[in-house]
Amino acid sequence: MMLRCGTMVDHLETEPLSRAWNFSAGPAAIPEAVLKRAQSELLDWNGSGASVMELSHRGKPFMELAARAEADLRDLMSIPDGYRVLFLQGGATQHFAQIPMNLTPEGGSADYIVTGHWGEKAVREAAPYVTARVAGSSVDANYLQLPARESWDLDPGASYVHITTNETIHGVEMRDIPDVGDVPLVADMSSDILSAPVDVSRFGLIYAGAQKNIGPSGLVVMIVRDDLLKRPGRPMAKIFRYAEHAANDSMLNTPNTWGWYLAGLTFQWLKEQGGLAAMGERNRIKADTLYAAIDGSDGYYRAPIAHAARSRMNVPFTIHEPALDAVFVKESGDAGLLALKGHKALGGLRASLYNAVPLEAVEALTAFMRDFANRHC
Amino acid sequence: MMLRCGTMVDHLETEPLSRAWNFSAGPAAIPEAVLKRAQSELLDWNGSGASVMELSHRGKPFMELAARAEADLRDLMSIPDGYRVLFLQGGATQHFAQIPMNLTPEGGSADYIVTGHWGEKAVREAAPYVTARVAGSSVDANYLQLPARESWDLDPGASYVHITTNETIHGVEMRDIPDVGDVPLVADMSSDILSAPVDVSRFGLIYAGAQKNIGPSGLVVMIVRDDLLKRPGRPMAKIFRYAEHAANDSMLNTPNTWGWYLAGLTFQWLKEQGGLAAMGERNRIKADTLYAAIDGSDGYYRAPIAHAARSRMNVPFTIHEPALDAVFVKESGDAGLLALKGHKALGGLRASLYNAVPLEAVEALTAFMRDFANRHC
């Protein structure tokens, strides 16, 4: 709907909500069904007489939970044989450093395609361990678009090519998996994993912090091709070596058992929702709904990212009058729409539309946006 | 009470318990009051309309939670000024490696006092980063006692001296803080932190995996003296540098927010219990009760550790007839006493008596032990 100042719009629901619509960039919304299940069994899981958090990770009940979570993820993502799934700690940031420790020899090099804040950080954290070549970047375009594949200067001798499939802060998403030849493609999918089907066989390694589309913070899920686990890497403690984690089924030391449990519940929920094809379609509709409200606002709201690069997961936008940002954040919060403030690096506003954010939330947001524009002409 | 085969004992309560008595070595029992609080606010924390897991760690409400948890820990442990408290990830095992990365220069050395499995592992994980000298060990005594202080061969030029104050598997506890001169003392307190008052000023660095006396797995609490944060360490990614975590109030990247939250609730619970002096007294009574039942069993049960080294937190014991171990584990489990199987490295039985295990649980265990001995003469 076209929005003009002064247009009358239906008034917003003002009943207090017990749960808000949560647009947080991460830690982010978790499916309510998952939270309710966790709540119901928080003191007595699986008839054990104890919380899942109070049980040994090496006991049979938790081992079964862990195996089922992996099996469900394999099923959801159609992970081929020849890939291992790891449940790790440290956040994606730690793995910015740990990936080159594992995949490159001393003196080796790797190529990075930098499309925003997180790609920059991946380069910085990798630098002590590898010659981290920026082989493609859209920094000169202020990360408002993706660097064209033709502009990438890839080194065929690189140990890997690193991409960030979705930039949480800049709101830029790389939907097409780039062809990088025989060099393994490594992807930080922290903020778009499980948001749509993806061809895992195109990647050497996929990793994701859990706190956007998987579960609570403090867990990293990694999918890694067997041959990469056989690379010698460099001298380091066992605890940093992915091959050791794989050989120990991610129980080289005590894992984040609560995170693993909630990830497993989320994977079950995703299967109940129809899997990733269904989620992909829902996420497309959610993003289209919000971008349409922005683009159709006659310039009241603006989404700065080039259309082809717009993220379905994180939608940064601005108001034509920046002084209204703070008003928008305050009033939307009062209306039960949480965490719409933009990242401090960019300012403005941002709505994150992860899997656990339903279309209903997006519709509540667009209704609020129309009402807000009407009230603050 | 002296126990002899054939003695009649009161029969055990056979009503089903909704919550079992949990003697798990870790992940371990969490105070029921903490779990109930977490359960009650799992979907709506602090009036936010969202779970604490769904909120940004950089938002004001979580920052306040985080600061309060630190303040309560400082209060509980009387942590002096000049020490920083960090909330990290990776388990103690990762910090076996990360501590030498931070505290020693290239080519440096550190002294390790090895009193069991975890001390051995600390040495192995440190070895890629430092000359890890075993300056004292009780391996020749099968870790059944502590190596006498006089036997330690300390190097005054070491970057630090590392001890494991409580060995979770071997059940050996170092209650007296050793004098190691001017070299900073570094202590893995994973399994006895917060179990009694401790003079923090005697240590350079204290660290503990949370999953015994603090909260769920996936969180490490570290207390580190400021001067150690100023050591240059060696070239490494920022994410591995404690000084960076300190400079960013443990929010260099997204922390384990759920773990931090539950740790905070546990610290509040400990204060309500009367603090560490009260806990220390309770833990003494609990351990005395169990050791007395073992020692008073006329050899039916045996605790192998030398009296002066016996852990108050983890009590390994055996039955005179090893074939009864499996029967004991099965029957105790059926009676609502969880996780009494010994670690696979040692066999036998083990009861962990962390803060969240009440005296009532220990009394239920000793009553069961008497009954078991009576039935399986």
Side-chain angles (χ1 to χ4, degrees):
Chain A
M1 140 185 166
M2 192 71 160
L3 181 147
R4 293 193 189 284
C5 282
T7 308
M8 287 302 291
V9 292
D10 291 344
H11 215 71
L12 291 173
E13 179 64 63
T14 51
E15 268 180 43
L17 293 161
S18 69
R19 292 261 298 162
W21 296 125
N22 186 354
F23 300 95
S24 178
I30 290 173
E32 193 164 292
V34 167
L35 291 174
K36 284 184 169 161
R37 168 80 178 270
Q39 182 179 47
S40 73
E41 59 196 26
L42 193 74
L43 275 86
D44 184 4
W45 173 73
N46 198 31
S48 65
S51 176
V52 67
M53 290 182 285
E54 300 179 295
L55 296 177
S56 171
H57 53 298
R58 298 196 193 281
K60 198 172 164 214
F62 190 83
M63 298 280 273
E64 287 174 357
L65 175 164
R68 170 152 187 207
E70 176 177 337
D72 283 339
L73 182 65
R74 285 188 169 275
D75 196 15
L76 278 167
M77 292 184 75
S78 305
I79 299 174
D81 290 344
Y83 285 78
R84 294 299 304 263
V85 175
L86 306 179
F87 291 81
L88 303 170
Q89 296 186 53
T93 304
Q94 181 173 315
H95 297 278
F96 293 162
Q98 221 172 311
I99 286 168
M101 284 161 63
N102 278 271
L103 300 193
T104 68
E106 304 264 10
S109 82
D111 284 351
Y112 283 74
I113 308 304
V114 179
T115 51
H117 171 90
W118 292 103
E120 286 183 358
K121 196 157 173 184
V123 169
R124 277 202 303 274
E125 293 290 306
Y129 309 102
V130 65
T131 301
R133 288 180 68 242
V134 177
S137 170
S138 45
V139 64
D140 291 341
N142 290 318
Y143 299 126
L144 296 174
Q145 59 194 51
L146 292 165
R149 173 68 188 80
E150 307 77 62
S151 71
W152 300 6
D153 170 32
L154 295 178
D155 171 9
S159 289
Y160 58 84
V161 177
H162 185 280
I163 60 174
T164 311
T165 52
N166 187 71
E167 284 282 354
T168 320
I169 294 175
H170 285 89
V172 169
E173 188 170 11
M174 195 184 292
R175 299 298 309 281
D176 297 321
I177 305 171
D179 180 357
V180 294
D182 291 335
V183 177
L185 187 59
V186 171
D188 174 3
M189 288 195 187
S190 291
S191 50
D192 66 350
I193 194 167
L194 295 172
S195 67
V198 64
D199 182 355
V200 173
S201 73
R202 301 282 307 279
F203 296 87
L205 188 156
I206 291 167
Y207 66 114
Q211 68 272 19
K212 285 101 161 51
N213 259 335
I214 296 174
S217 60
L219 179 75
V220 166
V221 172
M222 182 174 286
I223 302 161
V224 53
R225 215 170 56 205
D226 287 341
D227 61 296
L228 298 184
L229 292 174
K230 294 187 181 117
R231 291 190 177 180
R234 63 198 58 207
M236 63 181 130
K238 252 187 174 181
I239 193 70
F240 293 129
R241 204 173 287 281
Y242 296 141
E244 293 287 345
H245 286 277
N248 288 277
D249 293 327
S250 303
M251 296 197 188
L252 182 58
N253 67 334
T254 312
N256 177 338
T257 57
W258 174 255
W260 200 327
Y261 157 74
L262 275 194
L265 291 183
T266 301
F267 300 155
Q268 287 174 37
W269 177 82
L270 286 169
K271 291 177 82 170
E272 289 160 16
Q273 302 301 304
L276 300 196
M279 294 313 297
E281 182 58 12
R282 279 198 219 177
N283 286 324
R284 187 188 63 73
I285 294 169
K286 282 153 53 186
D288 285 353
T289 300
L290 179 52
Y291 284 114
I294 295 166
D295 293 341
S297 73
D298 229 5
Y300 190 92
Y301 300 107
R302 285 170 203 160
I305 305 301
H307 280 253
R310 283 178 167 182
S311 169
R312 298 157 308 133
M313 295 286 104
N314 310 99
V315 181
F317 61 103
T318 58
I319 304 180
H320 68 95
E321 171 51 61
L324 288 172
D325 288 352
V327 184
F328 187 98
V329 170
K330 168 76 172 65
E331 291 190 4
S332 58
D334 291 345
L337 305 166
L338 282 197
L340 288 162
K341 192 174 174 184
H343 188 274
K344 61 177 188 257
L346 296 185
L349 304 161
R350 174 177 52 169
S352 295
L353 311 180
Y354 301 124
N355 282 339
V357 177
L359 178 60
E360 199 182 351
V362 181
E363 288 169 343
L365 170 57
T366 55
F368 174 85
M369 288 167 68
R370 286 189 290 269
D371 182 62
F372 184 89
N374 196 46
R375 288 184 291 103
H376 299 280
C377 292
Chain B
M1 137 186 170
M2 191 70 159
L3 181 146
R4 292 196 191 281
C5 282
T7 310
M8 287 301 293
V9 294
D10 291 344
H11 215 72
L12 291 172
E13 179 64 63
T14 51
E15 267 181 45
L17 294 161
S18 70
R19 291 263 298 161
W21 296 125
N22 187 354
F23 300 96
S24 178
I30 291 172
E32 191 163 295
V34 167
L35 291 174
K36 285 185 169 161
R37 168 80 178 270
Q39 182 179 46
S40 74
E41 59 197 25
L42 193 73
L43 274 86
D44 184 4
W45 173 73
N46 197 31
S48 65
S51 176
V52 68
M53 291 183 282
E54 300 178 295
L55 296 176
S56 173
H57 53 296
R58 300 197 190 280
K60 198 172 164 213
F62 190 84
M63 299 280 273
E64 286 174 358
L65 175 165
R68 171 154 185 207
E70 175 175 340
D72 283 339
L73 181 66
R74 286 187 169 276
D75 197 15
L76 278 168
M77 293 185 72
S78 305
I79 299 174
D81 290 345
Y83 284 79
R84 294 298 303 264
V85 175
L86 306 180
F87 291 81
L88 304 170
Q89 296 186 52
T93 303
Q94 181 172 317
H95 297 278
F96 293 162
Q98 220 172 312
I99 286 168
M101 284 161 61
N102 277 272
L103 299 194
T104 68
E106 304 264 10
S109 82
D111 284 350
Y112 282 74
I113 308 303
V114 179
T115 51
H117 171 91
W118 292 102
E120 287 183 359
K121 196 159 174 181
V123 169
R124 277 201 304 272
E125 294 289 308
Y129 309 102
V130 66
T131 300
R133 287 180 69 243
V134 176
S137 170
S138 45
V139 64
D140 291 341
N142 291 318
Y143 298 126
L144 295 174
Q145 60 195 51
L146 291 165
R149 173 66 188 84
E150 307 77 63
S151 70
W152 300 6
D153 170 33
L154 295 178
D155 171 9
S159 288
Y160 58 85
V161 178
H162 184 280
I163 60 173
T164 310
T165 52
N166 186 71
E167 284 282 353
T168 319
I169 293 175
H170 285 89
V172 169
E173 189 170 11
M174 194 184 291
R175 299 299 308 282
D176 296 323
I177 304 171
D179 181 357
V180 295
D182 292 334
V183 177
L185 187 60
V186 170
D188 174 4
M189 289 195 188
S190 292
S191 49
D192 66 350
I193 193 166
L194 296 171
S195 66
V198 63
D199 182 355
V200 172
S201 73
R202 300 281 306 280
F203 296 87
L205 188 154
I206 290 168
Y207 65 114
Q211 68 271 19
K212 286 101 161 50
N213 259 336
I214 296 175
S217 60
L219 180 75
V220 166
V221 172
M222 182 174 285
I223 302 161
V224 53
R225 214 170 57 204
D226 287 342
D227 60 297
L228 298 185
L229 292 174
K230 293 187 182 118
R231 291 191 176 179
R234 63 199 57 206
M236 64 183 127
K238 253 188 175 182
I239 193 70
F240 293 128
R241 204 174 286 284
Y242 297 140
E244 293 286 346
H245 286 277
N248 288 277
D249 294 325
S250 303
M251 297 196 188
L252 182 57
N253 67 334
T254 312
N256 177 338
T257 56
W258 174 254
W260 200 326
Y261 158 74
L262 274 195
L265 291 183
T266 301
F267 301 155
Q268 287 174 38
W269 177 81
L270 286 169
K271 290 177 84 169
E272 289 160 16
Q273 302 302 304
L276 299 195
M279 293 314 297
E281 182 58 10
R282 279 199 220 177
N283 286 325
R284 188 189 62 73
I285 293 169
K286 283 154 52 185
D288 285 353
T289 300
L290 179 52
Y291 284 114
I294 294 166
D295 294 341
S297 71
D298 228 6
Y300 190 91
Y301 300 106
R302 287 171 200 156
I305 305 300
H307 280 254
R310 284 179 167 182
S311 169
R312 299 157 307 131
M313 295 287 105
N314 310 99
V315 181
F317 61 103
T318 57
I319 304 181
H320 68 94
E321 171 49 59
L324 288 172
D325 288 353
V327 183
F328 187 98
V329 170
K330 168 74 172 66
E331 291 190 3
S332 59
D334 291 346
L337 305 166
L338 282 196
L340 288 163
K341 191 175 175 183
H343 188 274
K344 61 177 188 256
L346 295 185
L349 304 161
R350 175 177 52 171
S352 295
L353 311 181
Y354 301 123
N355 281 339
V357 176
L359 179 59
E360 198 182 351
V362 181
E363 289 170 341
L365 170 59
T366 54
F368 174 84
M369 289 167 67
R370 285 190 290 270
D371 181 61
F372 184 88
N374 195 47
R375 289 185 292 103
H376 299 281
C377 292

